[in-house]
Amino acid sequence: MKEYFLGIDTSNYTTSAALCDGNGRIVANVKKLLPVAQGQKGLRQSDALFHHTVQLPDVLRQLSPVLKDGKLFAVGASCRPRDAEGSYMPCFLAGKSGAVSASVSAGCSFYEFSHQCGHVAAAVYSAGKNELFSESFAAFHVSGGTTDVLLVSPHKERIFEVKRIGGTLDLNAGQLIDRAGVMMGLGFPCGPELEKLALSYKGEKDKVSVSVKNLECNLSGIENKASKLYSETKDSARCASFVIRSVSETLKKISENLTEQYKGIPVIYAGGVMSCSVIKNELSSFGSFAEPEFSSDNAAGVSLMTYMKYYGLQ
C-alpha cells in the first residue's frame, strides 16, 4: 500500500490541498480561489474563513482518486502566516480544522507549519533545489500579503528557521498589483490579467524610479504614480506595464544588494507575484524560481514538509 502525506493550506484567497508520496514527490496539488466580488480589493477574514469552510471538502474530494491505492501516514496544515510571535489569521483555522479531522479519521500524526514556510518549501522543490533543505539560503516571499526577504536555515522541528532581513516598509507587492488592477476594472486577484496587459503594451515605456535602501523598499509611491498615470491616459496596458516594471526593478535592486551583502548565497523566489514572467525574466540571473503552480498559494510545500517531518529528514 502506498504512503501519502496530506498538506492543507487555507490562505486569504486560495483553498489548497496536496499529496506527497513516500518518495518525496508531489503527486497531487489541488487549489480553488475564493470568490471575490467584482470591484472589491479583497475579503474580510470572516468571509474568507466561511468560503474556505465551504470549499475545503470539495478540494479534498478531488484527492480521492489518488488516495484509493494508499493511505495517509501524516497530515499537515498551514496554521499561521509566519513562524513569528503573534502571527495569526483566522482563515487558517479552516485548514487546521480540516487537517486535524483528517488525521483523526486516518489515525495518523498531525503537524503544524506556517504559510510562509510552505511557500518556501514549494519553491525549493519546484526549482529542483532540494539540497537547500539542508543548508542556508536566502528567499524572497512576495505575494498579496507579504513582501519579505528571508534568511533561511534548516530547523529540526519546523523544517526551516526563518529570519526576516528585509522587505517592504508599506504596501506589499501583490497589494500594489491588485489595487492597480481593481482601479482599471480587472477581476481580483489581478496578477495574471495585469501581466497580460503589461505584455501587450508596445508603446514608449514610462520612466520607473524605485525606493530601495539596502534590503528594504517602499511601494506606496508607485501606487500613487500609477493612479495618476491611468487618470491622465486611461491606457490600461501602459499603466500595467509601469506597475509590473516598477515591482520588477524594486525586487531587482534588492536582489543586487542582497547578493552583494551575502556573497555566494543561494537565492529562491517564492510567492504569487513571482509567477509573473516579466519579473522572472528580470531576476532569473540572481536565483531560482518555482513553476507558477508552485509559486501562487498552494499546499504542496506543506505536504512535502509533512513527509519530511514524519521521516525526520531534517
Side-chain angles (χ1 to χ4, degrees), residues 1-59:
M1 183 170 285
K2 294 182 179 179
E3 303 173 5
Y4 291 114
F5 301 85
L6 171 64
I8 296 175
D9 183 271
T10 50
S11 69
N12 211 32
Y13 300 112
T14 309
T15 309
S16 310
L19 288 172
C20 178
D21 69 12
N23 295 310
R25 297 174 302 190
I26 302 300
V27 295
N29 189 16
V30 180
K31 59 180 75 175
K32 185 175 182 180
L33 287 173
L34 302 187
V36 179
Q38 183 69 29
Q40 295 298 307
K41 298 178 182 179
L43 289 171
R44 294 180 300 178
Q45 279 291 298
S46 58
D47 293 332
L49 179 57
F50 169 78
H51 289 305
H52 280 309
T53 303
V54 172
Q55 292 187 173
L56 185 56
D58 179 59
V59 169

Side-chain angles (χ1 to χ4, degrees), residues 118-180:
H119 263 298
V120 174
V124 169
Y125 171 85
S126 177
K129 298 290 183 178
N130 283 358
E131 68 273 11
L132 296 182
F133 283 110
S134 58
E135 61 181 270
S136 295
F137 62 97
F140 283 71
H141 178 199
V142 187
S143 64
T146 306
T147 302
D148 286 346
V149 184
L150 310 167
L151 192 60
V152 186
S153 55
H155 190 279
K156 186 176 181 179
E157 295 298 321
R158 297 194 299 269
I159 308 301
F160 293 127
E161 178 73 40
V162 175
K163 177 184 178 184
R164 188 181 191 275
I165 56 174
T168 184
L169 296 174
D170 46 30
L171 276 183
N172 289 309
Q175 275 183 299
L176 167 62
I177 289 169
D178 287 331
R179 289 183 182 186

